[in-house]
Amino acid sequence: MAYLAQTRYWTKTVKHIRNFILIFIFFLIIDFIIGIFLYQSQYKKPRMLNQKKKDEINSQIEFGNNRLAFMNNVVNNNIKMYTRSFPLNRMSSQTEYQIWLTQMAEFCDMKSPVISIGNYQTGPGIATQKFQLKSQCSTEQLYQFLYEFYWTSYLHRITSLNIQPVEQSSDLDVNIVFETLTLAKVKQTDAYPLAQQLPISTPIQRLSSKPFKAYAEIAKKDIFRYIKPGIDNANFAILTGTPSVTDEATGKNVAVSRWKIQTENRTMNLKIGDSISIGSFDGKIADIFEDMVIIKQNNGSLWVVALGEKLSDATAVPAFLF
């Protein structure tokens, strides 16, 4: 009987302990769920809302700072614009700028520059004056002129630039139209704009590179060579033969390419390595075969001219083929 009573006691005790553990686990799960809910609703969500508001405020501050910087820049530029204005006196403005254009054209070695004065127009607080420059110059001289023009701080601009290659010449016919701007004084006591003289020109950087040498290499390229009017001798240079001749210097037989230039009624004999410059075509003789000649240009491109064909009919070929 004592054993049975003891067994019932321990069974009842174990049952109470198990119920207690189950209740503890239940409340623990409830606490965990409530904790997650409170974390999401009372901590994470408010922090996210605060961060969003903070980001919006920072964005507004940044926008305001950018607007303020823009307005300061506008104000500073407008203040400087009056110091760059052309003279208030119309005749002085015309004479001074005409002299300046003449000096600039001569400085850039432009040939026989002709400068004329165009329309003068007035508006509320401003006046504009047109000028025209006609001249002949090389591509490099034109680049030099434009470089100097855009480094000058005057209130002027180019409204038209017409370029026409000169037949049978490396020069260009240039026709440039300029427009100058004169601003009226805000107050009569203001120092600027000046009355009868051009403002002191302090260089301003409107170009990406400061030194002219950054543009000199581009200026040396004759970008108009393929549209020049007149006869292109390359259209009349025919490969008439590829004979072997005795080289006077070495006494050895070498292959030469024979070119008949019909427009000049003359024949050229060029061997491998010789330069060929006929009309709009420049290059070097890279190789000579019985029925064709390979020409390599300075940019590395290869051209094939078949026997009996014109130089202008040369066919481009991939470099790896030869």
Side-chain angles (χ1 to χ4, degrees):
M1 293 296 291
Y3 174 77
L4 183 59
Q6 189 177 10
T7 301
R8 287 177 179 175
Y9 170 77
W10 282 110
T11 301
K12 188 175 181 180
T13 300
V14 170
K15 185 177 181 181
H16 285 310
I17 293 173
R18 184 185 61 185
N19 292 338
F20 175 78
I21 292 173
L22 291 175
I23 293 172
F24 176 77
I25 293 174
F26 172 76
F27 280 106
L28 186 64
I29 294 173
I30 295 298
D31 288 341
F32 179 74
I33 295 173
I34 294 174
I36 292 177
F37 173 77
L38 293 176
Y39 171 77
Q40 294 285 349
S41 61
Q42 302 299 319
Y43 179 78
K44 187 175 181 179
K45 188 175 181 179
R47 279 181 64 88
M48 292 176 63
L49 293 175
N50 290 337
Q51 184 63 42
K52 185 177 180 181
K53 291 180 180 179
K54 182 181 177 180
D55 292 341
E56 290 176 353
I57 293 172
N58 288 334
S59 177
Q60 293 174 357
I61 292 173
E62 183 179 2
F63 176 78
N65 289 335
N66 291 337
R67 290 290 297 174
L68 181 61
F70 173 77
M71 288 187 288
N72 287 335
N73 187 44
V74 170
V75 170
N76 291 333
N77 287 338
N78 286 338
I79 292 173
K80 293 177 182 178
M81 282 180 67
Y82 284 89
T83 67
R84 297 165 50 201
S85 171
F86 278 77
L88 296 170
N89 184 282
R90 175 179 174 181
M91 293 301 298
S92 297
S93 177
Q94 292 175 349
T95 303
E96 293 290 327
Y97 194 63
Q98 193 173 21
I99 293 173
W100 181 84
L101 281 176
T102 303
Q103 292 174 340
M104 285 293 299
E106 292 177 351
F107 173 77
C108 298
D109 295 325
M110 303 178 81
K111 298 176 183 177
S112 305
V114 177
I115 299 168
S116 55
I117 300 174
N119 294 333
Y120 180 84
Q121 294 182 337
T122 59
I126 64 170
T128 60
Q129 176 73 64
K130 297 282 189 178
F131 293 84
Q132 185 180 49
L133 167 64
K134 292 183 178 181
S135 180
Q136 283 192 0
C137 61
S138 66
T139 307
E140 190 169 2
Q141 290 164 349
L142 176 60
Y143 271 67
Q144 177 77 52
F145 181 87
L146 295 176
Y147 174 83
E148 301 294 341
F149 178 88
Y150 284 111
W151 267 98
T152 307
S153 60
Y154 300 149
L155 287 181
H156 61 172
R157 64 173 181 168
I158 293 175
T159 60
S160 174
L161 173 59
N162 293 320
I163 303 171
Q164 178 66 45
V166 178
E167 185 174 345
Q168 302 299 327
S169 172
S170 60
D171 286 341
L172 307 170
D173 269 327
V174 177
N175 186 343
I176 310 175
V177 178
F178 307 89
E179 184 179 63
T180 65
L181 179 65
T182 300
L183 300 175
K185 284 189 175 183
V186 178
K187 299 178 182 178
Q188 291 302 317
T189 56
D190 291 342
Y192 293 95
L194 300 176
Q196 296 184 340
Q197 66 185 66
L198 288 175
I200 297 174
S201 178
T202 54
I204 56 176
Q205 185 172 356
R206 287 185 285 184
L207 301 174
S208 58
S209 297
K210 292 183 179 180
F212 177 67
K213 66 181 181 180
Y215 306 93
E217 289 302 317
I218 303 175
K220 291 178 182 178
K221 298 182 182 298
D222 188 4
I223 60 176
F224 298 97
R225 59 178 299 175
Y226 295 107
I227 60 171
K228 287 183 178 178
I231 296 175
D232 186 354
N233 285 338
N235 293 325
F236 299 91
I238 300 175
L239 179 62
T240 59
T242 57
S244 295
V245 299
T246 302
D247 190 343
E248 295 180 358
T250 62
K252 297 180 180 179
N253 287 337
V254 294
V256 298
S257 57
R258 184 163 292 164
W259 303 87
K260 175 67 174 180
I261 305 173
Q262 296 175 322
T263 52
E264 299 177 0
N265 195 27
R266 64 186 179 95
T267 301
M268 296 175 59
N269 292 320
L270 302 175
K271 59 181 182 295
I272 296 175
D274 286 348
S275 296
I276 179 171
S277 181
I278 303 175
S280 61
F281 197 99
D282 291 327
K284 284 188 177 182
I285 305 297
D287 210 342
I288 299 174
F289 299 91
E290 289 185 2
D291 56 351
M292 64 180 177
V293 172
I294 309 297
I295 303 174
K296 184 175 183 180
Q297 291 192 302
N298 292 333
N299 59 7
S301 59
L302 292 179
W303 299 83
V304 173
V305 182
L307 190 64
E309 287 188 347
K310 295 181 291 187
L311 181 58
S312 58
D313 293 333
T315 303
V317 293
F320 66 83
L321 292 180
F322 296 93

